[in-house]
Amino acid sequence: MVQSHFPGAISNKDLVTKTVNLLSSKGYDGQNTLLATSLCCDELARQLEDDFNGIYGNNFNLGGLAGFPFAGNTGFGAMSAHIPDDGYCLTVYGPHVGVAADGTVGKVERSGIDLIDTCCGSAVAASNYVDSITNGGRSVTMQIQTFTDFQQNAVQELILPHGKRLADADIDGKRMVELPYALYDSQNMLLSEIVKGGSTGIKRGLALLGGVQINTGPDTPDYFVPLRFDYMNYRGDVIDDLLPALTGSDSDDDSDDDEE
Ligand SMILES: [Zn+2]
């Protein structure tokens, strides 16, 4: 059911196994690697961290609401300074989305709570905000200076450029499927900028694993749709695209020789 909504989704278990194998061929191990994440505040987003923590230890958290890398340039700089000497970093990032047991996208069952509520709540609230502007005539509010809720105000600001894309998906009833992909595009752009700005702090290598995290109910596994798996050298140049090896789509290789 998850894969019918999100083609290419693989279980967290498969994701971790394949990622760890691919990175070990680059020299990554449990001792020389720092795990960094940019995932939502939601406790459901911790599962993916936990699955990688078992291999690489505690993670440096770059993320905030909806998964945006709110720790920014300063957070990335601090994180890269914590990479072991002559060691590596794996950064896992992206938005998350719930899929309920009945197949509803954008909602999920939570342990101890009867109400099957929105997931990601921050993203859905931002989506409603954009919808009220594109369809309801509400005007854009710049409340970024309101420090009691500045992350959510930023999420709403950052999703604004995707108003048309989300409205188009609405026509087919797929707004909640499109929403995490729209968020991913914004987050990927931001994180790429942050990495570029901090690339001199990269030690031996940096792997960026980006995608959409899919949370299901308490008794079923979580999934991940990998959208980017780049390996960068100490200068921040992408020297290997590991995504085909991760997703298994390189079985028909040699048809095109990719060079980075
Ligand atoms: Zn969330």
Side-chain angles (χ1 to χ4, degrees):
M1 193 152 66
V2 165
Q3 280 153 346
S4 73
H5 292 299
F6 296 98
I10 55 176
S11 71
N12 280 14
K13 195 166 168 264
D14 279 356
L15 176 76
V16 172
T17 305
K18 286 180 178 169
T19 300
V20 169
N21 282 339
L22 286 166
L23 291 180
S24 76
S25 71
K26 300 285 178 197
Y28 283 60
D29 64 35
Q31 270 65 52
N32 67 8
T33 301
L34 178 64
L35 174 68
T37 62
S38 184
L39 303 167
C40 188
C41 303
D42 192 327
E43 74 279 3
L44 294 183
R46 302 287 77 75
Q47 185 60 54
L48 182 60
E49 283 171 358
D50 289 348
D51 292 339
F52 277 109
N53 288 157
I55 312 286
Y56 299 121
N58 288 343
N59 60 284
F60 191 109
N61 177 31
L62 298 167
L65 285 180
F68 280 93
F70 285 120
N73 304 108
T74 301
F76 187 83
M79 183 281 290
S80 52
H82 302 171
I83 300 169
D85 292 338
D86 204 27
Y88 300 89
C89 174
L90 165 64
T91 299
V92 181
Y93 67 100
H96 70 132
V97 58
V99 177
D102 69 356
T104 307
V105 177
K107 288 180 185 260
V108 76
E109 296 81 6
R110 290 170 190 267
S111 177
I113 302 175
D114 282 340
L115 181 69
I116 300 172
D117 208 358
T118 52
C119 174
C120 167
S122 163
V124 172
S127 165
N128 291 341
Y129 166 79
V130 178
D131 186 46
S132 71
I133 292 167
T134 37
N135 294 319
R138 185 173 154 180
S139 55
V140 176
T141 49
M142 298 279 218
Q143 293 181 331
I144 209 92
Q145 292 86 355
T146 309
F147 286 114
T148 54
D149 208 14
F150 76 92
Q151 285 198 3
Q152 183 61 22
N153 286 317
V155 173
Q156 295 182 175
E157 198 89 6
L158 289 159
I159 195 81
L160 266 183
H162 300 295
K164 167 95 168 58
R165 172 181 179 178
L166 294 174
D168 288 348
D170 244 347
I171 297 165
D172 304 319
K174 289 191 180 285
R175 188 182 184 96
M176 286 299 113
V177 175
E178 191 63 22
L179 180 59
Y181 290 103
L183 288 164
Y184 170 80
D185 287 345
S186 294
Q187 294 174 8
N188 184 46
M189 204 177 66
L190 264 182
L191 193 72
S192 300
E193 280 300 304
I194 291 169
V195 170
K196 201 195 283 175
S199 57
T200 53
I202 298 172
K203 291 183 180 165
R204 203 153 181 192
L206 170 73
L208 287 179
L209 175 58
V212 173
Q213 184 186 177
I214 297 161
N215 300 124
T216 72
D219 302 321
T220 43
D222 282 354
Y223 294 80
F224 191 81
V225 184
L227 298 174
R228 179 183 183 187
F229 193 18
D230 279 342
Y231 178 69
M232 299 172 167
N233 64 10
Y234 69 100
R235 289 181 180 145
D237 302 322
V238 176
I239 54 170
D240 211 349
D241 177 5
L242 299 172
L243 189 64
L246 180 63
T247 56
S249 59
D250 65 345
S251 48
D252 58 339
D253 57 351
D254 295 336
S255 51
D256 58 335
D257 46 346
D258 44 347
E259 226 172 84
E260 292 263 27

